Amino acid sequence: MVDRLIQQALHQALQPVFEPTFSDGSFGFRPGRNAQQAVRKAQADIRDGRRWVVDLDLEKFFDRVNRDVLMARVARQVSDVRVLKLIRRFLEAGMMREGMVEARTEGTPQGGPLSPLLSNILLTDLDRELESRRLAFCRYADDCNIYVGSHLAGERVMRGIRVFLEEVLRLRVNTAKSAVARPWQRKFLGYSVTAHPQSRLRVAAESVRRLMQRIREQLRQGRGRSLAQKTHDLNPLLVGWMRYFQLIETRRVLEELDGWVRRRLRCLWWRQWKRPRTRARTLLSLGFDAERARVSAWNGRGPWWNAGAPPLRQALPPSHFTHMGLASLRLTQQRLQCVR
């Protein structure tokens, strides 16, 4: 706790010193800047006709930072030797693993209050190199996209910037995750774009899969809870996700996710009814006639199939979940846009 307190004090003292030196193309861990602004900047570059992206991924950035190179950049603005020694001590502090202290020879401690500022200090040299080449780029921490007009230009930029990163900043480019491609084939901060001339923002497929996995895991927890309690627990996840992705301009994915969430909840409800007799009795209470309730309850199909079948969709329509208080991604985005 003492270490974190001192690191935070250093951050508050150093941030005003280094902030004026940072590039306009840098958005990560800076006051008044956020990921959504970075996404908007990337979209503007694509709409300007730069329809190829050089997607750079730095391999284990925080673990591979060369401390001598980093401290040389810090010393450009900080002349107090005591402060420089203190920062160096934080960088060289060991790491506790299974009760044993391991020495660290490179990198910055992840999760430390000072690490985000140090990463921006180091990567400002990358920003200046890109600016000197008059390249359109957008960087959020170690996630950097450069937008160019052709595949040939992208390959040339990739080679040149890779040499700069490895020889000047002593950083390593992850060749497996870096590529020169169309922007709609890549993702940036969880977003992607459509291939239209006026590219629209959309959610990257990987971000959708990650949300669905988190919903599955959350619904598995406490299976004995009521559906109302599960709905209450699910809302912060859905609203928080939508707050981050409120910029997307394709609505179909939100409608599909809303439908998928409601089908998952119907599936849980079907499981909770357990026996066919209980299911028939419950369907009768929801307004079904006796014959239809009997056929639906004894159809021999699994919970997921029944959750998407017309009888259960009619018994538990979207309005039913709305009355229960379940958040809708589509409606949440509309409310957020009205507030904005």
Side-chain angles (χ1 to χ4, degrees):
M1 291 301 296
V2 174
D3 281 354
R4 293 185 66 84
L5 176 64
I6 297 174
Q7 284 196 46
Q8 184 61 41
L10 277 171
H11 185 280
Q12 292 178 200
L14 295 177
Q15 180 84 41
V17 175
F18 285 97
E19 180 62 27
T21 69
F22 292 156
S23 168
D24 288 338
S26 168
F27 292 87
F29 310 119
R30 296 181 60 187
R33 291 180 167 237
N34 56 44
Q36 293 175 339
Q37 293 173 341
V39 170
R40 282 295 194 197
K41 168 69 164 53
Q43 183 187 28
D45 289 337
I46 296 168
R47 286 183 171 181
D48 284 342
R50 303 177 181 91
R51 296 173 68 80
W52 288 89
V53 61
V54 181
D55 188 355
L56 288 172
D57 184 87
L58 300 179
E59 185 175 340
K60 297 181 180 178
F61 172 73
F62 286 97
D63 294 332
R64 294 282 176 85
V65 168
N66 185 287
R67 294 169 182 170
D68 294 330
V69 174
L70 172 58
M71 290 306 301
R73 271 66 183 170
V74 176
R76 292 173 181 173
Q77 301 292 328
V78 178
S79 58
D80 193 320
V81 176
R82 296 169 300 174
V83 174
L84 295 175
K85 286 183 177 179
L86 184 59
I87 296 173
R88 186 85 189 203
R89 288 180 64 187
F90 279 121
L91 294 175
E92 294 176 349
M95 180 176 60
M96 184 75 74
R97 179 177 295 173
E98 297 180 357
M100 302 293 291
V101 177
E102 294 182 3
R104 297 170 58 95
T105 59
E106 61 180 359
T108 63
Q110 290 198 46
L114 196 56
S115 293
L117 177 61
L118 295 178
S119 68
N120 274 334
I121 292 172
L122 178 63
L123 291 176
T124 295
D125 276 20
L126 171 62
D127 299 339
R128 298 306 179 199
E129 177 67 17
L130 295 173
E131 289 173 348
S132 68
R133 300 185 183 202
R134 298 183 180 180
L135 294 170
F137 71 97
C138 195
R139 183 177 66 79
Y140 192 94
D142 58 329
D143 196 350
C144 182
N145 277 7
I146 308 166
Y147 297 95
V148 295
S150 69
H151 184 268
L152 185 62
E155 293 288 353
R156 184 173 63 250
V157 169
M158 174 69 85
R159 288 193 299 270
I161 296 304
R162 182 176 178 180
V163 170
F164 175 83
L165 288 169
E166 294 180 351
E167 295 186 359
V168 178
L169 297 184
R170 307 289 179 85
L171 298 172
R172 188 177 302 172
V173 175
N174 188 333
T175 55
K177 295 183 178 180
S178 301
V180 178
R182 294 291 194 178
W184 47 89
Q185 297 172 340
R186 309 292 292 181
K187 64 181 180 67
F188 180 58
L189 301 178
Y191 283 82
S192 188
V193 296
T194 64
H196 299 94
Q198 291 297 312
S199 295
R200 293 184 295 171
L201 294 175
R202 62 182 177 88
V203 185
E206 184 178 335
S207 301
V208 174
R209 288 194 295 270
R210 191 178 296 119
L211 173 66
M212 294 172 72
Q213 182 59 31
R214 290 179 64 187
I215 291 172
R216 288 190 189 97
E217 292 171 357
Q218 189 153 329
L219 291 178
R220 288 193 195 105
Q221 298 172 3
R223 287 188 172 177
R225 295 181 182 177
S226 67
L227 199 62
Q229 183 60 46
K230 286 181 178 293
T231 299
H232 181 269
D233 295 342
L234 202 58
N235 277 343
L237 172 60
L238 296 174
V239 174
W241 187 87
M242 194 66 257
R243 283 186 182 277
Y244 181 78
F245 287 105
Q246 62 180 287
L247 298 181
I248 65 172
E249 298 164 309
T250 53
R251 307 295 172 83
R252 183 176 177 180
V253 66
L254 299 183
E255 295 172 355
E256 291 176 349
L257 281 171
D258 277 338
W260 180 84
V261 170
R262 281 147 185 76
R263 185 172 179 179
R264 294 288 305 184
L265 292 173
R266 291 191 199 102
C267 183
L268 286 175
W269 217 331
W270 188 263
R271 288 179 184 277
Q272 288 180 357
W273 294 342
K274 294 183 179 178
R275 298 181 180 180
R277 193 183 305 276
T278 306
R279 292 167 180 167
R281 186 168 59 248
T282 306
L283 290 174
L284 281 172
S285 69
L286 291 172
F288 279 58
D289 60 74
E291 178 61 20
R292 193 178 183 196
R294 184 189 66 79
V295 171
S296 297
W298 270 274
N299 63 22
R301 301 277 188 168
W304 183 249
W305 186 91
N306 278 286
L312 207 57
R313 291 209 314 269
Q314 180 182 340
L316 301 172
S319 59
H320 179 87
F321 296 101
T322 301
H323 291 317
M324 289 180 62
L326 179 65
S328 163
L329 294 175
R330 183 175 56 82
L331 295 179
T332 300
Q333 186 195 37
Q334 291 177 359
R335 287 195 294 268
L336 290 171
Q337 290 177 341
C338 288
V339 172
R340 190 177 60 183

